[in-house]
Amino acid sequence: MRPFRDAAFFKSAARLDQLPASQGEIAFVGRSNAGKSSAINTLAGKRLAFVSKTPGRTQLLNFYALAGDRFLVDLPGYGYSKAPAAARALWEGTLGGYLRTREPLRGAAVIMDVRQPLTELDYRLLRWFRPTGKPVHVLLAKSDKLSRAAARGVLSRVSAELLLLAPNYSVQLFSSFKKLGTDEAEAVFCRWLDPLTSTSGQGKEFVAVAD
Ligand code: GDP
């Protein structure tokens, strides 16, 4: 099952009172330039998110509609050193509030550059999200940039570190350029969205089939 294949832009929200009614959603977060937009586009199979060479540009929560009143939510990248103060305040206020309090949020997909995983800002996000009890799945993006052996080494190191943080934090290798890791990621995100299939209320069936 490819949960994001029919994704379509729904709305941008700048404030928490602008969020749509939702039966479940997955937030995509990560350091600017980690490869988040490319990962979203790869999973959607089309250009959905803006792939930028200018980090720190997107300022809003972008909602993309999936089947059954569910959403993929693209959050602005964090940690861009030249981000204006307003962008930092947005992360500390609106986005932080969203991640901590959004009831329909099923989990966070955290995108990290395989060559620079688990930065201090990533740790901050992971620790800070942990009290929600919701799962995190890390995509180690741009894994084509490393040899297979080196990428596997990073995977096992990050996996061990995540296990220390929370039992429901997981990780995989991913490459948008080589289309690596899409089946694995889709299986995880389907599992997160799947419990809601019978509560859509819109008559749109969403049946997850294991890959
Ligand atoms: P974002 O800021 O996290 O949304 O990152 P983008 O998706 O805009 O990508 C940042 C840069 O990394 C761009 O120059 C992309 O072309 C490059 N990039 C993204 N995904 C991959 C990948 O899978 N492999 C490689 N080699 N480069 C990638």
Side-chain angles (χ1 to χ4, degrees):
M1 186 67 202
R2 318 204 118 162
F4 305 131
R5 277 293 143 145
D6 294 321
F9 179 74
F10 186 76
K11 77 176 287 188
S12 289
R15 301 193 315 265
L16 296 183
D17 61 1
Q18 297 171 331
L19 307 184
S22 169
Q23 292 293 324
E25 59 205 41
I26 297 175
F28 278 65
V29 291
R31 225 160 52 90
S32 299
N33 219 34
K36 174 167 60 69
S37 303
S38 303
I40 290 172
N41 290 339
T42 297
L43 292 168
K46 60 189 164 197
R47 264 179 85 84
L48 208 58
F50 180 62
V51 181
S52 172
K53 291 202 189 289
T54 312
R57 258 173 93 157
T58 327
Q59 302 285 312
L60 301 165
L61 295 111
N62 290 308
F63 282 76
Y64 296 93
L66 313 174
D69 295 327
R70 285 171 289 182
F71 297 93
L72 180 167
V73 188
D74 183 14
L75 268 56
Y78 51 82
Y80 180 50
S81 58
K82 288 186 192 144
R88 283 193 204 142
L90 180 80
W91 249 107
E92 281 153 29
T94 307
L95 301 174
Y98 167 80
L99 285 170
R100 265 309 248 276
T101 65
R102 176 74 166 163
E103 196 278 330
L105 182 61
R106 300 289 163 232
V110 180
I111 318 305
M112 299 179 193
D113 188 322
V114 72
R115 297 164 300 175
Q116 215 185 344
L118 290 174
T119 64
E120 188 45 45
L121 285 170
D122 294 324
Y123 265 118
R124 231 193 270 174
L125 174 81
L126 294 169
R127 282 198 209 97
W128 188 85
F129 190 62
R130 186 169 49 179
T132 66
K134 293 176 183 178
V136 162
H137 189 59
V138 174
L139 300 184
L140 293 172
K142 310 186 197 179
S143 64
D144 57 281
K145 291 267 193 186
L146 296 182
S147 71
R148 194 176 289 226
R152 289 237 174 97
V154 175
L155 178 65
S156 54
R157 179 172 70 79
V158 172
S159 177
E161 298 201 22
L162 288 178
L163 252 177
L164 296 175
L165 276 179
N168 57 353
Y169 283 12
S170 53
V171 59
Q172 66 160 92
L173 296 171
F174 192 87
S175 165
S176 294
F177 282 18
K178 294 269 167 78
K179 307 266 182 289
L180 289 173
T182 53
D183 288 353
E184 196 180 346
E186 283 164 346
V188 171
F189 301 139
C190 272
R191 268 203 307 280
W192 290 358
L193 293 170
D194 186 48
L196 298 161
T197 51
S198 56
T199 62
S200 127
Q202 294 289 308
K204 293 182 207 153
E205 287 306 312
F206 184 91
V207 182
V209 178
D211 277 304

